[in-house]
Structure formats: structure tokens, C-alpha cells
């Protein structure tokens, strides 16, 4: 089981950054809200976890990996380090996959990053699940109407522009759907969702300008 206790956010972020390149987020994503374990929007995946004020309440735990099998609300997850986990998704679980969605959108082969509480039977009762979420430091190599060509280290990535979703933040300003000010060679921090079928990324938010491209 690949699980991170709440006190290891750096390891979690490293996983999220690298996920797209193993064959595996920020714009206002439209996912607003919070639970006793923390917020559920895309940015919350990278935030410092909250600790319960009630000492009787269990700390949250994080699980990551690829979904190998789905049986109703139970997900079998193969972790990146050879471990396995079982994640239980219910009607109360918040699900993000490019946008807020339902458990029906989760597919075998997807990457999973889940937050929840360990149960006595060894499963993780998921409070929030982020499917295929990635947060990458990239450089713009090409700009087309419906896609961006990105370099992440030595990896070339195609980023798909989603007409109803993709936005850009210029130098920390409020996100806009206007992509016209993007320039080749700019550093860009990209939050999006990995697409397993072709190893590309669906773009949710692109941040450029001073301070962009250095988030971990």
C-alpha cells in the first residue's frame, strides 16, 4: 500500500509532479468545499493537510497509484513502489477528474490520489479522490489553438486546451480563458489531468510569469 501520513506532504507532491511521466493542479476548478479532512478542490491535493482538532479523530492518510480493478465502490490500487491499497469510494466521496465528477468517471488504468481514513478491514475510506491529477513545471515549446506543446525536463508533453475548462494566470493575475499572451519559451506551471490513452495532459490551469514554474 502506497500511503502517505499527513506529515509527509513533500513526498506526496513529488508523486503528483512525476505522475504523468510514469505513464501516469489551478484555476478555479469549480470544485469548492471542504470536509473534516480538508478542502476538496484540485489545489487541495498539494496543500498541507489539516490535522484533526479532535484527538479522537483519525488523521487522514493518502494513497497513490494506478487503479487495477474496480468492484462497485472498491478500487484496487497498485502503488508506484510495488505496494497495493484498497480504496473505498462512497456517495459522500468527492471525485475530481479534470473537474468535479462522480465515481462513475473512474476507470481501470487511471492514476489515483486519494485522501481518507484507514478502516479496520485495511481499506481506505476515501473522503476525496483526485483522478489522474498532475502538477508540472514545464516550458512552452509550441502553441496551437487547441493544444500546447510542453517540455518537462527531457519529456515532451502535449497539453490539450479544453474550451470549457482551461484558463491561464499571467503573473499571478486572476485566471482568464485568453491564451493569446502565451509565448514560446515561457516557464509554465501546469495543473491538469493525465490522459492514459495517449500519455497527454488535459489542461486545467496554466500559470506563467514571475513565480510560475517553480511549484513543487
Amino acid at each position: 500500500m502506497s500511503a502517505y501520513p499527513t506529515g509527509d506532504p513533500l513526498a506526496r507532491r513529488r508523486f503528483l509532479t512525476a505522475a504523468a511521466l510514469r505513464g501516469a493542479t489551478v484555476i478555479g476548478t469549480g470544485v469548492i468545499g471542504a470536509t473534516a479532512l480538508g478542502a476538496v478542490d484540485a489545489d487541495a491535493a498539494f496543500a498541507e493537510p489539516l490535522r484533526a482538532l479532535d484527538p479522537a479523530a483519525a488523521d487522514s492518510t493518502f494513497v497513490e497509484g494506478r487503479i487495477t480493478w474496480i468492484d462497485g465502490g472498491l478500487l484496487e490500487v497498485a502503488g508506484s513502489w510495488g505496494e497495493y491499497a484498497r480504496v473505498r469510494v462512497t456517495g459522500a466521496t468527492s471525485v475530481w477528474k479534470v473537474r468535479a465528477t462522480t465515481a462513475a468517471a473512474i476507470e481501470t488504468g487511471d492514476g489515483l490520489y486519494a485522501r481518507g481514513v484507514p478502516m479496520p478491514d485495511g481499506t481506505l475510506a476515501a473522503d476525496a479522490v483526485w483522478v489522474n491529477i498532475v502538477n508540472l513545471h514545464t516550458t512552452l515549446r509550441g502553441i496551437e489553438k487547441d493544444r500546447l506543446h510542453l517540455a518537462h525536463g527531457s519529456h515532451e508533453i502535449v497539453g490539450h486546451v479544453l474550451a470549457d475548462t482551461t484558463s491561464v494566470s499571467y503573473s499571478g493575475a486572476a485566471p482568464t480563458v485568453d491564451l493569446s499572451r502565451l509565448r514560446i519559451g515561457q516557464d509554465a506551471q501546469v495543473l491538469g489531468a493525465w490522459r492514459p490513452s495517449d500519455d497527454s495532459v488535459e489542461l486545467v490551469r496554466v500559470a506563467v510569469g514571475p513565480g510560475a514554474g517553480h511549484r513543487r
Side-chain angles (χ1 to χ4, degrees):
M1 174 173 176
S2 290
Y4 300 110
T6 55
D8 196 6
L10 183 59
R12 294 187 291 108
R13 290 170 183 168
R14 284 175 175 165
F15 162 74
L16 292 164
T17 300
L21 305 180
R22 281 199 293 268
T25 297
V26 181
I27 305 164
T29 59
V31 188
I32 303 298
T35 70
L37 299 180
V40 295
D41 66 346
D43 290 313
F46 309 97
E48 295 284 348
L50 296 176
R51 289 194 177 278
L53 297 177
D54 182 355
D59 283 341
S60 59
T61 295
F62 293 85
V63 165
E64 61 78 19
R66 295 286 296 276
I67 299 169
T68 59
W69 184 64
I70 300 174
D71 182 11
L74 188 64
L75 312 178
E76 292 274 358
V77 180
S80 301
W81 291 270
E83 299 174 320
Y84 287 86
R86 291 181 298 153
V87 176
R88 193 170 297 282
V89 177
T90 71
T93 303
S94 171
V95 179
W96 183 96
K97 189 176 183 180
V98 181
R99 57 188 62 84
T101 184
T102 67
I106 302 174
E107 301 177 275
T108 301
D110 281 340
L112 174 141
Y113 180 60
R115 180 186 66 196
V117 175
M119 294 287 102
D121 64 357
T123 64
L124 180 85
D127 163 71
V129 170
W130 296 271
V131 180
N132 295 334
I133 190 170
V134 293
N135 184 22
L136 303 170
H137 172 209
T138 68
T139 302
L140 281 167
R141 296 302 190 197
I143 302 171
E144 300 180 41
K145 181 179 179 181
D146 59 353
R147 68 184 63 186
L148 302 179
H149 296 271
L150 307 163
H152 176 70
S154 60
H155 299 267
E156 299 293 330
I157 300 171
V158 172
H160 299 280
V161 176
L162 308 178
D164 59 346
T165 302
T166 305
S167 66
V168 180
S169 175
Y170 297 96
S171 301
T176 172
V177 296
D178 177 15
L179 277 62
S180 66
R181 288 182 281 158
L182 292 176
R183 296 290 182 266
I184 293 174
Q186 284 180 309
D187 285 341
Q189 194 73 34
V190 169
L191 180 131
W194 170 59
R195 184 188 286 181
S197 60
D198 59 7
D199 216 20
S200 62
V201 171
E202 295 179 313
L203 301 172
V204 174
R205 184 171 67 207
V206 179
V208 297
H214 298 286
R215 181 172 181 164
R216 292 289 184 271

